[in-house]
Amino acid sequence: MTITNQTRLRASKPRGFHTRWRALRLFAAAALVGAALSGCTGEQFQKGYILPPGALEQIPIGASQDQVLIVMGTPSTVATLDGEVFYYISQRSERMVAFMNQRVVDQRVIAVYFDKNRRVRRLANYGLQDGKIFDFISRTTPTSGQEMSYLTPIFKLLSFN
């Protein structure tokens, strides 16, 4: 008699509960796998100087060196050949999947050239375009050997490949 009573109790329970519980467990497992895989998606890395928005527009030609320091902050490096030059160096890289090698997306060197009176003579925003050093402000590639010799080692130091 107890066997038939247990059989009747099992038969009387609605099967929808088990189906819903199984669906909930399946959904929870899928969400857990999705969360684990989302940690493996791409990452971006910023190294060096981060240019504040609108900073270059605040530095007109003829501005003082102190004004440049207030707007831009301390430079990454300073050159003192043929007048003083402030260099602000940055690099942006990314990797698509965790544990993969990083790929350089953008490299920039912002150069602020000063005259003998410590006034801004020229601004340059150097980057890489098609593998060549390119000034994004004047839209030119420097041809003089003097600027190339200063900037090429900086870009070579920044690239880790």
Side-chain angles (χ1 to χ4, degrees):
M1 189 172 215
T2 54
I3 294 175
T4 55
N5 285 340
Q6 288 177 355
T7 308
R8 285 182 188 161
L9 288 175
R10 282 188 197 160
S12 66
K13 282 187 180 177
R15 292 185 182 212
F17 176 75
H18 292 292
T19 306
R20 281 187 235 146
W21 179 250
R22 184 175 292 163
L24 184 62
R25 287 190 315 189
L26 184 62
F27 177 74
L32 185 64
V33 168
L37 288 177
S38 70
C40 297
T41 59
E43 297 176 281
Q44 289 192 352
F45 303 94
Q46 176 75 38
K47 298 174 186 168
Y49 182 76
I50 298 175
L51 179 66
L56 291 178
E57 289 80 21
Q58 295 179 20
I59 304 172
I61 302 299
S64 69
Q65 195 174 49
D66 292 333
Q67 185 178 354
V68 172
L69 288 172
I70 290 170
V71 172
M72 301 282 284
T74 305
S76 302
T77 188
V78 176
T80 55
L81 211 66
D82 286 342
E84 204 163 14
V85 183
F86 286 178
Y87 293 108
Y88 297 89
I89 304 167
S90 68
Q91 181 185 63
R92 203 166 33 100
S93 61
E94 65 182 21
R95 62 178 170 204
M96 299 312 250
V97 180
F99 308 112
M100 298 288 289
N101 289 334
Q102 294 180 19
R103 182 178 60 92
V104 175
V105 176
D106 188 29
Q107 292 184 123
R108 295 289 172 129
V109 175
I110 298 168
V112 182
Y113 295 91
F114 297 98
D115 60 13
K116 302 290 183 194
N117 298 325
R118 294 185 175 204
R119 296 282 180 188
V120 175
R121 178 175 42 123
R122 184 169 73 110
L123 291 171
N125 185 355
Y126 297 109
L128 289 179
Q129 183 172 341
D130 301 326
K132 297 178 183 172
I133 298 174
F134 183 80
D135 183 0
F136 285 93
I137 292 178
S138 67
R139 298 271 193 225
T140 59
T141 302
T143 56
S144 65
Q146 185 177 2
E147 283 187 336
M148 293 293 283
S149 66
Y150 291 136
L151 296 175
T152 303
I154 292 173
F155 279 118
K156 284 183 182 178
L157 285 173
L158 287 175
S159 63
F160 298 105
N161 293 335

